Amino acid sequence: MPATRTRIVGVLVGFFADLALSDPKRGHPVAAFGRAAAELEQFTYRDAKIAGALQVGLAVGAVGLIGTAVQRAASRNSPLRSVAATAAATWVALGGTSLARTGLQMAQLLDRDDIGAARRLLPSLCGRDPAGLDGSGLTRAALESVAENTSDAQVAPLLWAAAGGVPAVLVYRAINTLDAMIGHRSPRYIRFGWAAARLDDAANYVPARVTAVLVVACAPLVGGSLAGAARAWRRDAVRHPSPNAGVVEAAFAGALGVRLGGPTQYHHELQIRPTLGDGRAPTVADLRRAVALSRIVQLGAAALLAAAVSRARCRR
């Protein structure tokens, strides 16, 4: 079996493993990486960009070396082991099933008007300060997080795993995790986290736009608007402070006919985000539709990879 086809087969196996098993309940490698990165930060931290670049280089470089060693060891033995290694790395990097479950759990809490429990759940989706959010604010925050993480936790890992196998997908997940840890504009991390944030922007540039294309194409499957998704993406994404999150959130807003953006409170600052879309304020029903659209988009990304395997087979 050619190496590219072997790799994509492994990615698809990892995708189905995430659907069936979700994230590992204990000993998740991403959590272990986060703890190791936090320990490393105790030695590397300085209020300077160069120190942050050192943190990123050491942490991501170590993951890349481990991933490369695993892939080389697996490929020397048999195609089956290579598939298994790629599948395991893809499964570890994906978070689509957990994202959907958490989004639906949030919808259930908001349906019951259990604001306290919804506030406690929100940190599982995003880094905003939930203390001052009411039901409407929690709904918007959850929907925006589902949209952004459709790219970060679903489409991007699939694409990076297909492009470069074990080291690529593990390095991507390391970059994305570091961005979540230190890539924000708090007083402590505005300089130290600069490298992590910029590297994450680069790693997600193509996946975010692939995700937006899939959102546009899949919008009618949840009763949404293909034209609205394309229009909001084209018109509104450029005004968002993130070059990638804005693309996906704008496409979701247009697809669902809702309005996202506006004042966004983080623990370290209040950001006034631009408006994305020109519809109504999102409801809990819209959050459920966003989760459904997110799942369909992930299936669409996997279907594209399966089509690539089929084309490769037909050319032989």
Side-chain angles (χ1 to χ4, degrees):
M1 187 185 295
T4 300
R5 216 172 93 205
T6 300
R7 186 165 63 243
I8 296 178
V9 168
V11 174
L12 293 173
V13 173
F15 165 73
F16 286 112
D18 179 66
L19 288 182
L21 305 173
S22 188
D23 289 328
K25 298 300 181 185
R26 294 181 180 178
H28 198 303
V30 175
F33 170 79
R35 290 191 295 270
E39 290 291 330
L40 178 63
E41 184 182 327
Q42 295 183 18
F43 300 96
T44 60
Y45 181 80
R46 303 289 186 279
D47 188 16
K49 290 181 179 180
I50 188 65
L54 176 63
Q55 167 81 1
V56 172
L58 291 173
V60 173
V63 170
L65 289 173
I66 292 169
T68 299
V70 169
Q71 181 158 287
R72 286 180 177 173
S75 63
R76 279 199 301 265
N77 291 290
S78 71
L80 183 60
R81 290 187 179 181
S82 185
V83 166
T86 304
T90 303
W91 173 46
V92 163
L94 282 170
T97 299
S98 292
L99 175 68
R101 288 178 179 173
T102 307
L104 291 178
Q105 186 180 353
M106 177 66 78
Q108 291 168 359
L109 293 173
L110 292 171
D111 270 337
R112 298 200 301 264
D113 202 29
D114 192 343
I115 301 301
R119 286 172 176 165
R120 289 191 294 272
L121 180 63
L122 188 65
S124 299
L125 285 170
C126 60
R128 300 183 193 183
D129 184 358
L133 294 179
D134 58 9
S136 178
L138 289 163
T139 301
R140 193 199 103 197
L143 199 157
E144 289 175 353
S145 180
V146 167
E148 180 179 1
N149 283 294
T150 298
S151 176
D152 289 7
Q154 300 183 52
V155 176
L158 290 175
L159 295 181
W160 278 106
V166 175
V169 72
L170 293 184
V171 161
Y172 169 76
R173 180 48 64 204
I175 291 169
N176 194 243
T177 302
L178 284 174
D179 179 60
M181 294 175 67
I182 66 173
H184 43 81
R185 298 180 61 82
S186 67
R188 176 177 173 86
Y189 292 124
I190 190 168
R191 282 176 285 275
F192 184 76
W194 179 87
R198 298 292 78 76
L199 190 57
D200 185 73
D201 287 344
N204 279 296
Y205 188 86
V206 171
R209 283 144 186 85
V210 172
T211 303
V213 169
L214 289 169
V215 170
V216 171
C218 298
L221 298 178
V222 295
S225 170
L226 184 155
R231 181 172 60 252
W233 173 12
R234 182 177 62 251
R235 183 192 64 204
D236 299 335
V238 70
R239 297 187 289 119
H240 195 280
S242 167
N244 300 319
V247 168
V248 185
E249 289 179 22
F252 263 79
L256 300 174
V258 300
R259 183 179 66 257
L260 301 176
T264 303
Q265 181 67 60
Y266 291 92
H267 291 283
H268 56 278
E269 67 174 346
L270 173 66
Q271 294 184 5
I272 306 301
R273 295 284 181 86
T275 298
L276 306 174
D278 47 18
R280 66 189 182 281
T283 65
V284 176
D286 294 316
L287 175 56
R288 294 183 188 277
R289 291 170 66 215
V291 171
L293 180 56
S294 178
R295 283 175 157 169
I296 293 168
V297 165
Q298 186 180 15
L299 287 168
L304 290 176
L305 296 179
V309 172
S310 297
R311 281 198 301 270
R313 183 180 300 171
C314 290
R315 289 174 182 172
R316 293 186 66 193

